[in-house]
Amino acid sequence: MNLPDIKEARKRSKKEVEHIYLDQHYDNSTFKNKKYFLRTYGCQMNVHDSEEIAARLESLGFKETEELDDADIIILNTCAIRENAHDKLYGFLGRCKHAKSIDKNKIIGICGCMAQEEGVVNELMKKHPYVDIVFGTHNIHELQDLILERSKKQNIRVYSCEGDVYENIEYKRDSSVKAWVNIQYGCDKFCTYCIVPYTRGKQRSRKSKEIIKEVKDLVKKGYKEVTLLGQNVNAYGKDLEDELSFAELLQSVADTGIERVRFVTSHPWDFTDDMIDTIAKNDNIMNYIHLPLQSGSDNILKRMGRRYTKKEYLELFNKIKDRIEDVAVTTDIIVGFPNETEEDFNDTLDVVNTCKYDSAFTFIYSPREGTPAAKMEDNIDMKTKEERLQKLNELVNKYSLENNKKLEGKIVKVLVEGTSEKGENKVFGYTETMKLVNVSNAKEDIGKIIDVKITDAKSFSLDGEKCK
Ligand code: SAH
Ligand code: SF4
Ligand code: F3S
């Protein structure tokens, strides 16, 4: 077993990453009439990994079930970004243990970012022997073998070193309208609070020709939208020789003719003028940018290792707003980082008041073992952290509502994705600027981009009617 050594991860020398083309086929009658239950926590990266996991399970003959008790194999794809991830895992394991006490042939599997944490794997081995398989983020391609090889012993496959880049991966995509496309794996930024570089390894980019091939294939299959995925998409290609820059990749993806191109996440550090120009001049690259701030205080930004100042962030923000027509910008913010003073927090509020974000994900800082920030004294009490979060959320929601209200009475383009939970005759979809819209009288338009008149705006969604 090869477990992640968080202390060593920072010092790791660059490994020669191989680009491997998968061509192994499995017998899909092996688990005929058997069912799988798959639960996913975490970011889009994990959601997309689960699309791969589902395809791998189906290649062995498993069919999906929504009922845990019906499942012959239960897989939990975990996230490690904040401490409450542990509570979710152990809460879920309780249910698995119960299910297995009724049917001892059930297979229980744990994967995802928590499976890359040494402490978690040790605990699973010691205290949760009914867990049959554990596989890390670099070992998803081994899932079928892990299942086929299973024995009475726990089968653990977790590589600490970043994995190779695999091509020809099959996915069972959740949507037939929009698709995730990985463009890079891992992250080299090592923000001091963040566990991702340890759970996902160093940055490895896919080759642009493989990305374009995948997008062209999606266009052929009728997909209307792709989202290019990576933890720091604008650093795309920097780990490869003679590769396109992210701006050039965006242009090539736009040139495939796909109707909508999105990308997440862009770090303010690598955001180039070329990127802004490329987004501005291509109608099919959406005018929506997620630009994580994390903090508005130079002091805190420095200790977070974010590599930009409040002034630099605001300059970039203004450039984006000036050059990209009607662009929507969203962000991520952490409150209660060690030593965050009232003044530091006010700097964050100040940036929010300046940028008036379309929306923001806000978090209380959660120390992650093995990261540099976890060694800093966490000297802000929980009450203060919660008060700051509440104050921040009130401000963020105020601007979300203000921005959304501006759309009332306007006509916007919506890609209709499916039926809405908001009423029988309603469907839902997203605007070009990534706002959720519930639309009446457009049931026959699933999979299409339609004009919608916005009738009502709330903080987190819009209501609209299809234009005749
Ligand atoms: N690669 C992306 C972020 C991925 S994690 C980026 O750099 O923007 C998503 C968000 O989780 C981060 O933007 C951050 O706001 C939050 N986050 C990460 N680590 C955290 C921690 N230890 N405590 C609280 N929030 C955290
Ligand atoms: Fe984490 Fe920073 Fe990498 Fe984002 S850029 S994944 S916050 S280390
Ligand atoms: Fe969570 Fe891993 Fe994503 S820690 S946020 S699932 S990269």
Side-chain angles (χ1 to χ4, degrees), residues 81-314:
I81 201 86
R82 282 169 288 274
E83 186 59 32
N84 65 3
H86 287 243
D87 305 338
K88 285 190 192 162
L89 170 66
Y90 294 113
F92 192 83
L93 280 177
R95 291 178 61 199
C96 292
K97 189 175 180 187
H98 176 73
K100 195 145 179 176
S101 70
I102 296 167
D103 173 6
K104 65 175 177 17
N105 290 321
K106 272 192 206 303
I107 306 172
I108 315 265
I110 305 294
C111 63
C113 288
M114 284 180 82
Q116 291 293 143
E117 287 185 271
E118 189 170 353
V120 171
V121 178
N122 285 337
E123 188 160 345
L124 287 175
M125 287 197 318
K126 271 195 218 129
K127 296 195 190 149
H128 304 272
Y130 55 90
V131 171
D132 301 282
I133 53 181
V134 181
F135 56 104
T137 58
H138 310 300
N139 305 75
I140 300 174
H141 62 286
E142 297 176 280
L143 176 58
Q144 288 103 320
D145 295 340
L146 271 165
I147 295 171
L148 293 169
E149 286 166 13
R150 84 186 190 285
S151 61
K152 288 216 159 52
K153 262 178 57 204
Q154 253 180 351
N155 207 349
I156 297 179
R157 211 68 75 80
V158 181
Y159 297 159
S160 59
C161 199
E162 48 274 358
D164 294 315
V165 172
Y166 293 93
E167 297 297 346
N168 298 350
I169 294 175
E170 305 266 342
Y171 296 101
K172 184 190 176 221
R173 297 189 189 266
D174 289 336
S175 164
S176 53
V177 178
K178 60 177 197 181
W180 308 109
V181 174
N182 283 327
I183 65 162
Q184 86 203 148
Y185 301 95
C187 181
D188 280 348
K189 280 283 178 283
F190 288 98
C191 302
T192 58
Y193 51 82
C194 185
I195 192 108
V196 172
Y198 309 99
T199 63
R200 295 266 166 181
K202 281 201 166 191
Q203 173 173 310
R204 290 97 68 211
S205 299
R206 280 180 76 194
K207 290 180 180 158
S208 54
K209 73 174 197 317
E210 295 301 329
I211 299 168
I212 304 301
K213 199 168 108 196
E214 186 176 344
V215 176
K216 283 187 175 161
D217 189 47
L218 290 164
V219 175
K220 244 193 241 155
K221 289 180 175 147
Y223 281 85
K224 297 286 190 306
E225 179 178 304
V226 290
T227 303
L228 308 180
L229 274 186
Q231 290 296 356
N232 179 14
V233 287
N234 17 9
Y236 170 80
K238 292 189 176 173
D239 51 315
L240 295 177
E241 266 169 41
D242 300 326
E243 191 42 277
L244 302 182
S245 67
F246 183 61
E248 290 164 334
L249 178 71
L250 262 183
Q251 186 58 57
S252 306
V253 173
D255 290 343
T256 63
I258 185 114
E259 295 196 48
R260 289 180 160 197
V261 182
R262 301 187 186 280
F263 54 91
V264 275
T265 298
S266 29
H267 190 296
W269 169 252
D270 296 296
F271 217 108
T272 61
D273 285 5
D274 281 353
M275 271 178 72
I276 301 179
D277 292 340
T278 307
I279 300 162
K281 73 173 185 234
N282 286 280
D283 287 343
N284 61 344
I285 304 181
M286 298 297 95
N287 49 350
Y288 162 72
I289 290 167
H290 186 62
L291 195 68
L293 168 70
Q294 312 301 2
S295 168
S297 149
D298 287 349
N299 229 336
I300 300 289
L301 283 170
K302 193 158 184 212
R303 289 192 306 114
M304 284 178 161
R306 289 293 287 183
R307 312 174 195 205
Y308 52 84
T309 60
K310 175 183 177 187
K311 184 165 165 275
E312 284 163 344
Y313 181 93
L314 288 175

Side-chain angles (χ1 to χ4, degrees), residues 417-458:
E417 289 185 23
T419 47
S420 162
E421 292 167 358
K422 298 283 174 192
E424 281 227 332
N425 227 347
K426 290 202 167 177
V427 292
F428 78 96
Y430 288 86
T431 65
E432 298 191 328
T433 54
M434 199 66 182
K435 291 178 195 279
L436 173 63
V437 193
N438 291 299
V439 191
S440 352
N441 302 323
K443 268 212 152 143
E444 65 288 1
D445 292 314
I446 293 175
K448 293 186 193 152
I449 296 173
I450 59 168
D451 284 332
V452 173
K453 183 167 183 180
I454 301 302
T455 51
D456 191 21
K458 290 162 266 188

